[in-house]
Structure formats: structure tokens, C-alpha cells
Amino acid sequence: MQDLQLFPFDSDHSVEYQTSRYPLMRYMGSKNKLVPWIHEALKSLEFESALDAFSGSGVVSYLMKAMDKKVYSNDFLNFSSVISKGVIENNTEVIDSNDLRRLLDMNAKSDDFIQKTFKDIFYDSADLLFLDAISANISHLDSKYKKALAYTSLFRSCLKKQPRGVFTISGNLDRYNDGRRDLRLSLKEHFVEQVKIYNEVVFDNHKENASFNLNVFDFSNKMYKPDLVYMDPPYVPASDDNCYVKRYHFLEGLSKYWKGEEIMKNTKVKKIKKKYTAFSYRKTAIQAFEEMFDKFSDSTLVLSYSSNAYPDLETLISIMRNHKSDVEVKVKPHKYHFGNHSSVSRSNVNEYLVIGQS
Ligand SMILES: C[S@@+](CC[C@H](N)C(=O)[O-])C[C@H]1O[C@@H](n2cnc3c(N)ncnc32)[C@H](O)[C@@H]1O
């Protein structure tokens, strides 16, 4: 077994160092680049336990774990909660060389669901064969943490081999092939690299951290009583383009070998059904914020938000004031890149942290 990173995080330097090693996931809306700024804000608050209610790539949960907090990490997407199980809840287990040998055994018995369903869509036949085989092999690992870590390594491998890091395009992807190494490597080669990277990310903060796969409104705060709740919900989209399932359906399906998911057969990329979230619609977003702040009103509230989102900052502040007497806003100008196939545009937005206390 390899050495774990078990050093204590007793200085700012080690928190920054540890979080800087968290593998970048190209996850839509990830706060990866804002982590040092979020760290500055969280440092000034008193809390021992925290809920990351919309954990996504897990990077903010990981920051709070490195800050030595007891972390509850939640997302309604299964694949995202698997990531948190692997790197947040898991304090000590890594994939050793025996596990890896078993994981890479291509002769073990497996199904061919992925090869049949995703033929000529995202990956070549060797990669699809590997995905079917490794899915079976992961299910035979005897530890839930090793399973989660193996899946996390697999998710990042799959994302790296997608030219645009999303599962919305299919078929002949040659026009995106700029020869980069990530596109040349097989999924198996990626996986071996990612296992090593994620093994090094596991560390013990000596807290009983936990990962949840729930709609935020179903989280039992009465039972867990987090001192602080960090909220980074999706924004109401300008178009249909920011649905998480639309972009990451392949990882969501893979995380459970599509068990219990219905594939929409007539879609080109074999999507699964999108998951409803009240935060994504103009009609329901304001009420969703009201209910969420009310639900967590016993905790310090920290909301990530942005100036190009709906509802606007003033509305959110006034909703938070219904539950907290002390509401403070931290602002950070941020350059935001977004683009489509032919153009990339940039816009300046302000990122906010809205912090409610007392
Ligand atoms: C902006 S992303 C979070 C990004 C994350 N902070 C990071 O840095 O990677 C929003 C997340 O909220 C999740 N989500 C959306 N609606 C939800 C709900 N009602 N309950 C729980 N999670 C939800 C999505 O799956 C997505 O991962």
C-alpha cells in the first residue's frame, strides 16, 4: 500500500497546498478557480462542521476537509456523490497494486451493455470493451471506498477523452482532434494514471465526513446539524444549455451501470432523463431560495452567486435577511469564458459570496 498524505492541516499553507492538488474536473460551474478566495472568506467564520449542499466536482468539500472541518457533501447526481464518497468521506483507503491488477483484468466475466448501447458514439470499441469490463471489476472490489475511488478515476478518464469535456456531441469527433495527448491515450491508460492521481488526493482529517446523494430539500439537517451550509446551486439558464444531466449523462449512467435509468433511445447520444431542479426555472427559483434558507436557518449560510444570474443579488439578500440579521456580501470580479464551436466570448461577471449569520 502506498503512503497516504496524513499530515495535519494546521497552517494556511498546507490548506492551500492540499487544495491545489485536487484534480481539475472541467465540471460546469466548478468553483475550482475561486477556491483561494472562498478559503479566505471561510477562514473568518467559526464552524466545525459544514454541508456542501451542491457539491458537483467536490472541490469546495475538499477545501473544507483540508480546513479540518467535518464535511457533509451532497449532490442529487449520483456520480457526483460517488466522487465525494471517494475523496471526502474516505479518509484512508487507496487502490493498491493488487486492486489495480484485478481492476484491469480483461478476462473477468462482464456484460456488454456499454458496447451495445454506445457503439460509435463517444469512444472506440477497445475503450467500450474496457468500460464494460472495468464496471464489472469495480463491482467486485470489497470496499465501498475503493469502489468510489475507482469510479472517480474512471469519470475523470472519460471526461479527459471527450474533446470538449461534455457528452453532448457524438460520432466523428475528428474536427475537435487537435492531437492532444488526452485524446490519444486509451481509457485504460488514462485510468491507470488517474488511479495514481486520486490515491494521492486521499487524506485523513480525522473527522467523520459523509457523502449524500439527495435533493437538497431532503437533507436531514435536524439529524446532522451542520454549523455552516455552503450553497452553490445551478443558475436559471439563458437557454437549455446548462442542464447537468444533458452534459454528464454518460457519467451518471456509468456510476450505476445505468441501473434504474431509462435511456431515451431516440436521442443521438443515448441520454437519460433530465432531473428536475427548482433552481433552474424563473418560475420556481425564488421560492426555492426561500425554502432553502428557511430549512438551513439554524446554520451559517454561505451562498455562491454571480452577477449574471437570476434572481439578482438584491433579491437574494432580502430573502436571506428574512432568516439572518447579519448579511454580508464578498465580491470578486471574474472573467468568464463561454463559447460554442465557432466562437468563444468573454464577459466580466462579479462572483459573490453572500454570508448570513446570527
Ligand atoms: C454549480 S454546480 C456546483 C459546483 C460545485 N460547487 C463545484 O465547485 O464543483 C451545481 C450542482 O448542483 C446539483 N444540483 C442541482 N439541483 C440540485 C438539488 N435540488 N439538490 C441537490 N443537488 C442539486 C447539480 O447536480 C450540480 O452538481
Side-chain angles (χ1 to χ4, degrees), residues 27-32 52-60 74-77 80 214-217 230 232-235 244 276-279:
Y27 191 73
M28 177 169 62
S30 171
K31 294 296 170 284
N32 206 79
D52 181 3
F54 303 83
S55 61
S57 70
V59 68
V60 179
N74 175 68
D75 201 286
F76 77 169
L77 287 184
S80 171
L214 297 168
N215 187 320
V216 65
F217 296 106
Y230 172 73
D232 185 17
Y235 302 147
Y244 283 85
Y276 171 78
T277 178
F279 294 95

Side-chain angles (χ1 to χ4, degrees), residues 14 30 47 82 100 114 120 130 145 157 169 179 181 187 205 214 224 226 243 248 251 255 301 305 307 329 331 342:
S14 57
S30 171
F47 64 109
V82 168
L100 188 58
I114 302 179
D120 298 332
F130 171 72
Y145 294 130
S157 303
I169 46 171
R181 180 176 180 273
L187 280 182
N205 72 344
L214 297 168
Y224 293 100
C243 169
Y248 304 112
L251 303 184
S255 73
L301 302 176
Y305 215 60
S307 56
V329 180
V331 187
S342 54

